[in-house]
Amino acid sequence: MSASLEGQLVVAISSRALFDFEEENEVFETGFAQDPLLPASPAPPGVKKDAAYMQLQLERLDVPARPGVAFSLVKKLLAFNDAPESAEEAASPALPRQRVEVVILSRNDPVSGMRVFRSAQHYGLKIQRGAFTRGAPPWRYLKPLNANLFLSTHLSDVRAALAAGVPAAQVYPQSARASEAHPHEVRIAFDGDAVLFSDEAEMVFQAQGLHAFQAHERDKAAQPLLAGPFKPLLEALQRLQQAGTSRMRIRTALVTARSAPADERALRTLMNWNIEVDEAMFLGGLAKGEFLREFEPDFFFDDQTGHVNAASQHVPSGHVASGIANPLL
């Protein structure tokens, strides 16, 4: 019988989202390894652009990469696999049921992929599956994986994943790293419109302004919003939470620019979906960054680059390139 990921929360992630490969990526982008004592020189004619990058990764094979922006999120989610479900299971010699699977989907070449796996092993991350495509778009492997989330630094891959119906976000590599204050909680914060919910209300705001938006949401308070691209992820996280464990839990927050009376429709929508969030922040246009800093999420998802840029100064952040705020160019 072949292996199966059925019933698991599947997170697909690029190597630059999981590890800090920014120095190596600079070599890839320029096509040469810079010696600080010598003038820069590009790769010789006929040499593939990624040759210097591959050589550098091979030279650093035994040097674990530093944790990247989504490292904390991945580490904590994988910890659900190590947590016993009950005292009886804790005493059992049987292996705990696999709840979470993390798969590397990377534009790296297969040789560089060896360093990714070795780095994961160094940190005790039980990651055994990966696809390395040497520059080709890897998002097409999301469907066979039945992925619940895709995190990548490549905007084009994120857009393609969202178009295919997979929750996806562009990781901002320069984001602040996650707090270590909550080792037994996976903390995730979501924007509302165009992330958890459709961009229906956001379109009204963009076209007619705040007053029209407030009136629209007040009048439709009892009518649930349509689902946004990240509803399936929130559902999967709730299932993981409900599976129960004494050592790990999930804490979620809705962090939105909405304010009363537009709060009611958002909350009633979640109730209609039978989904609970632990915290809801209706900020009425206040900057989200400092509130997120206090919540201390392992990751924050928002559809507007301005919000992501500001939040990334405080917490790990990713851009959900969906909705009216992200037209295709």
Side-chain angles (χ1 to χ4, degrees), residues 11-33:
V11 177
I13 187 167
S14 72
S15 40
R16 279 181 67 200
L18 181 58
F19 294 117
D20 184 350
F21 281 141
E22 296 316 294
E23 182 180 339
E24 291 86 347
N25 186 64
E26 180 66 21
V27 172
F28 176 81
E29 295 294 339
T30 59
F32 59 86

Side-chain angles (χ1 to χ4, degrees), residues 5 50 76 121 136 147 160 166-167 182 192 203 213 254-255 294 297 303:
L5 301 179
D50 62 358
K76 288 183 179 181
Q121 292 165 6
V166 179
H182 310 282
M203 287 192 288
F213 166 81
L254 170 65
V255 183
E294 298 304 317
D303 68 302

Side-chain angles (χ1 to χ4, degrees), residues 128-166:
Q128 59 180 344
R129 293 183 171 91
F132 301 92
T133 63
R134 197 173 187 180
W139 64 267
R140 61 191 187 277
Y141 298 119
L142 291 168
K143 282 297 185 181
L145 290 169
N146 291 318
N148 300 102
L149 176 64
F150 178 49
L151 296 175
S152 173
T153 57
H154 286 272
L155 180 59
S156 60
D157 289 341
V158 167
R159 284 186 179 274
L162 288 166
V166 179

Side-chain angles (χ1 to χ4, degrees), residues 156-219:
S156 60
D157 289 341
V158 167
R159 284 186 179 274
L162 288 166
V166 179
Q170 181 190 16
V171 173
Y172 279 29
Q174 303 307 321
S175 293
R177 298 312 191 246
S179 166
E180 298 181 359
H182 310 282
H184 301 295
E185 280 190 342
V186 180
R187 293 191 164 210
I188 305 178
F190 301 90
D191 180 35
D193 298 292
V195 178
L196 292 181
F197 314 127
S198 75
D199 64 346
E200 170 203 327
E202 181 67 23
M203 287 192 288
V204 174
F205 175 76
Q206 295 284 352
Q208 303 177 46
L210 178 60
H211 291 299
F213 166 81
Q214 295 282 29
H216 179 271
E217 293 304 279
R218 182 182 60 246
D219 294 344

Side-chain angles (χ1 to χ4, degrees), residues 52-63:
Y53 173 84
M54 292 174 61
Q55 183 60 35
L56 180 61
Q57 290 284 40
L58 192 59
E59 291 171 356
R60 295 181 176 181
L61 189 58
D62 295 319
V63 180

Side-chain angles (χ1 to χ4, degrees), residues 67 79 96 319 326:
H319 174 217
N326 296 283

Side-chain angles (χ1 to χ4, degrees), residues 36 62 77 123 139 168 173 175 198 209 217 222 225 241 264 292 303 324:
D62 295 319
L77 285 173
Y123 293 107
W139 64 267
S175 293
S198 75
E217 293 304 279
L225 287 154
Q241 172 74 356
E264 186 169 329
L292 289 162
D303 68 302
I324 191 173

